[in-house]
Amino acid sequence: MTVGERGRLAERPRRSRFLLIVGLFAVAGLQPAAAEEPKAGVVIDVNAGKRTLYPIAVPTSLEGDSGVAKEISTVASFDLNVAGVFKVLEPRSFLADLRAEGIGIDPQKWKDVGAFGVIKYRATATDIEFRLYEVSKGANASLTKTYSRKQSTRQIVHLWCNEVVKFYTGEPGFFGSKIAFTVKGKGSNAVYAMDFDGANAFKISNNSSTNILPAYSPSGGQIAYTSFMRNNPDLYVGPAGGGRPKKLSSQRGMNTGAAWSPDGSKIALTLSKDGNAEIYVISASDGSVIKRITNDKSIDTSPAWSPDGSQLAFVSDRNGGPQIFVVSSAGGTPRQISFNGSYNTTPAWSPRPGKQVIAYTTRDGGRYDIVTLDLQTKAMTRITQNEGNNEEPSFSPNGRAIAFARTGQGVFIANADGTGKAIKVWGGSATGVDWGPAPKD
Amino acid sequence: MSFKDGEMHVMAAFGAAFLSAALFVPTVWMADARADHTPVLEEMEAIEASIAVKKAPAMQPQKKTQAKPAVVKPDGVSRDETKVVDDKSCKQDSDCPAGRVCVKSVCKLPDKVAKTETDPLGKFRRPTDDETPTGKPTTEVGTFNDNERGFAEETKGHPFFQKVARDFVENFEYPKILAGESATGCIHLLADGKIAKFKVDPKSGEATLDDAVERALKKMQTLRASSPEAPPIELLKQATTRWICFNTGKLQRAE
């Protein structure tokens, strides 16, 4: 190696260092604008966006008894699905490692599947612990509750889901409430009651005659229904859990379509004691007539109280076909409120505070469907369409859902805002649906 | 046997009374009998009898359904709506279509002719009514005033920014049971249309709303990474050197 060669070799690192620095500057100069911090922005007011149901995940716990864990997630998923405010996410999409997570959550994993809320639980032999997480608020639970397993698992889950609904909406949930209905049989009809989700159905009436149009008292302790057991359609009131009923009204002719006043002291019903079907209000304790509400040669039936007890909705054919009318519960001149189509029957008043919404059965193109009418805005919402014949709506205790009978198919519940599809909760030939009050805490 | 006038009247009165009684008594008796028979519920039948008034059939309310996707028409020869008709060649005015004149072997509109031709006496002419501008261009919202995009809210701003804002709206989902103060989400676009980075600034203070905005921005970033849409050349600097932000406005709790 010559001196000159050595000199060149010694020069190489210096030259390459120089080239490296020049290269870095060149690269830096060619970098796109991404590296620069953008200036103050252009703000576009969008003032919109999709207002959706609340996406919530109810993964099946991998801890403890798998049978109980499965039942909890099934019941909770059903409850939250029909609550009218949640969208329960499909478990197959979950990315989280449930075994590693245990009763906690990894928020990012749930964010990635679109969940806003996650329900976790742990069932032991003595109790069930539930936790509600809001994904955006991290790994700390927003709501925690532990229930002793003195009640059935199903009842405990209903209680927890009511807490979840209350947490988000401030309203009581309707999980654990009951629905009464008439089951059509050969030669006789019987009054039944069941949990709102179709579980635990049992017979209320105990005779071989025709028993129709059940109505829960506001306390939920009694059921009024019309029975032909003494050959005349008389009104009976019995314990909601079943048992011997008491005859409350046995006027000559019809004693049908009982509706309890919100305070439970009165019952509005149809009597035909004077030859024509009219709306009356009777005492809920002794059946004595307090007031005759309608007086018209037409047929007036199906009374329904407004939530504050000041008004009654009913059906009358005084202007031609059957239409819905509203009258003061102190009496007065009724005003027609339904004008769609030529056949509108079986009104039910929404219990939502501050709202005046009535659901009823309407006939459209030979089919019967459920609609709601807002008396303040006159806006109508269709609850069912192209799904058989649907009749006799009844609101859930918080007014977010509607139960109704689908001819020949059973009892269904649907969101009261018209979104989503109705869910079958009882299969069979049912009619005369009445949703009972909210369960007691 | 003969009757006097008075006797005849008496007999007629008796006869009329008898006949009336014979008709009245069975009628009353039958009506009472009908009233005794009160129909029971099972025997009753509701008969619908509408008043004979001819009305246009009212439309029943329809159940809420999702809107159908927009129909995409196939491309065809008639789709090019921007194509301008070629000026026709001509030798004289009669060779041109109605309303056009032949200028230098080409059919042209008369006003174009006037502008292109030099008028030696032009400086001595007073302007006619046709040449005097009348009125002022309106700037009312939505009214056409020669601005290619008009002044309507829907057409305000450049279509590129409208498209980006629409992307945000489509990806922003917020549960209707929640309310929230306004939050602002911003993106930093690259020249190729991809999103370099995003931020929520200023935040609303409501963790769920800020999170919903962040989710929307993240979705936009993912979508634009796979199918980027570069800003038009005239907006390149404006769109890539500044944050493009979307303000949600105050969100009310929906029932």
Side-chain angles (χ1 to χ4, degrees), chain A residues 276-278 294-300 315-319:
Chain A
N276 185 39
E278 302 285 357
T294 62
N295 190 357
D296 193 274
K297 61 183 184 226
S298 61
I299 295 170
D300 300 328
V315 179
S316 177
D317 62 352
R318 63 188 63 198
N319 290 349

Side-chain angles (χ1 to χ4, degrees), chain A residues 170-193:
Chain A
E171 303 164 3
F174 55 75
F175 315 125
S177 59
K178 303 266 184 201
I179 293 176
F181 57 105
T182 301
V183 176
K184 290 183 189 171
K186 281 183 182 170
S188 71
N189 291 350
V191 170
Y192 275 71

Side-chain angles (χ1 to χ4, degrees), chain B residues 12-198:
Chain B
F14 271 116
F18 177 76
L19 279 171
S20 299
L23 290 168
F24 180 73
V25 169
T27 306
V28 170
W29 180 78
M30 285 169 76
D32 283 348
R34 180 70 189 141
D36 287 344
H37 178 70
T38 306
V40 292
L41 178 67
E42 287 169 319
E43 294 171 0
M44 291 187 79
E45 187 181 1
I47 300 168
E48 191 182 321
S50 301
I51 298 167
V53 177
K54 192 173 181 183
K55 288 192 291 187
M59 187 74 173
Q60 290 273 44
Q62 301 296 299
K63 189 167 169 60
K64 287 176 192 166
T65 53
Q66 288 195 330
K68 287 180 183 171
V71 178
V72 179
K73 291 180 182 174
D75 285 337
V77 288
S78 61
R79 288 297 305 283
D80 189 359
E81 294 166 4
T82 58
K83 188 172 172 60
V84 179
V85 178
D86 292 336
D87 285 342
K88 201 178 170 185
S89 60
C90 60
K91 287 182 179 173
Q92 52 190 9
D93 288 355
S94 58
D95 295 339
C96 295
R100 289 174 180 252
V101 291
C102 192
V103 180
K104 295 176 183 173
S105 303
V106 177
C107 294
K108 289 190 174 176
L109 288 168
D111 59 341
K112 286 185 179 174
V113 176
K115 283 176 186 170
T116 53
E117 280 178 352
T118 52
D119 183 1
L121 300 174
K123 60 180 177 182
F124 301 108
R125 276 207 186 114
R126 292 168 60 193
T128 64
D129 286 347
D130 292 342
E131 291 162 352
T132 310
T134 52
K136 291 177 182 174
T138 178
T139 53
E140 277 179 29
V141 170
T143 308
F144 179 72
N145 71 340
D146 290 348
N147 183 314
E148 64 175 321
R149 292 190 288 278
F151 282 84
E153 283 297 325
E154 293 77 9
T155 56
K156 210 184 256 181
H158 195 283
F160 177 76
F161 286 124
Q162 290 169 26
K163 170 73 173 58
V164 176
R166 215 162 40 238
D167 285 352
F168 175 78
V169 170
E170 279 169 11
N171 289 301
F172 176 64
E173 295 183 14
Y174 194 58
K176 62 181 180 180
I177 51 170
L178 304 178
E181 296 299 323
S182 67
T184 303
C186 302
I187 57 168
H188 177 208
L189 271 184
L190 295 177
D192 61 2
K194 290 180 181 171
I195 295 173
K197 50 189 170 183
F198 59 81

